[in-house]
Amino acid sequence: MNENQLREQIATIGKSLYDRGLAHGSAGNISVKLTDGWLMTPTNSCLGRLDPARISRLDASGNLLSGDKPSKETFLHIAMYRERQTAGAVVHLHSVHAVAVSCLDGLDSGDVFPSITAYAVMQVGKLALVPYHPPGDESLAEAVRKLAGKHHAVLLANHGPVVAGSSLDAAVNAIEELEQTAKLMLLLRGQAVRHLTAEQVAELNRRFPN
Ligand code: 13P
């Protein structure tokens, strides 16, 4: 896809996320890697009403070349790309069930979700919890950077999920799976659950490496 097609794709996917209640207000941001930099959604923009022409264009050092002022989470996105050379897109949301889980006490910080479904294992994998830092703070980007080499999906404590994918479609599919898994986890709280076994998880990781 050329840059203009990627701009259109960001706006189309942003609207789809917004229309289905996965993004609200000015929460969330989307970036896509280009050969010599990134496209990044502007700060304080609504993902449901993005103007493709005003999406921020950053150079390979993260400097703004054109478009509106980029997201305050730009450092966080770039930290993901720096640690994950195969990443083609990064999506951050404040989707309600994932945020609810991010506020729970006593989570396993290296693997937030119990292994309840095959698709959660295949698309989210081991979800790491990033300790709380204020939105847009460089300390948050640094905390993400420390985990990004091993985890393409992380959950910012008391904030929301961040997912990297080889393409924007892959990143969005994975963050939607993450949101659904968070919803299932909350639905199943207090119930007797049959988890996937370690062998079943290992087999999924062999068949569908992520
Ligand atoms: P921006 O509006 O700067 O992209 O920030 C939104 C957000 O989700 C912060 O975490």
Side-chain angles (χ1 to χ4, degrees), residues 24-30 40-47 69-74 76-77 92-94 134-136 140 156 159-160:
H24 62 274
S26 63
N29 27 72
I30 299 173
M40 179 84 231
T41 51
T43 190
N44 298 326
S45 57
C46 172
L47 293 188
K69 186 178 174 199
S71 169
K72 68 172 83 64
E73 305 294 14
T74 296
L76 182 159
H77 285 242
H92 165 54
L93 295 177
H94 294 183
L140 179 61
L156 312 178
H159 186 165

Side-chain angles (χ1 to χ4, degrees), residues 76 79-80 83 128-131 133 139-151 154:
L76 182 159
M80 267 283 189
E83 297 300 313
L129 185 70
V130 180
H133 295 270
S139 62
L140 179 61
E142 176 55 18
V144 168
R145 193 193 58 73
K146 285 187 186 148
L147 293 164
K150 289 208 173 112
H151 301 267
V154 299

Side-chain angles (χ1 to χ4, degrees), residues 7-8 50-56 66-68:
R7 287 173 179 272
E8 295 286 341
L50 291 169
D51 177 349
R54 292 176 60 178
I55 289 173
S56 317
S66 64
D68 289 347

Side-chain angles (χ1 to χ4, degrees), residues 3 28 36 45 105-106 123 136 145 168 198 209:
E3 183 179 322
D36 55 353
S45 57
D105 210 0
Q123 297 202 342
R145 193 193 58 73
L168 184 51

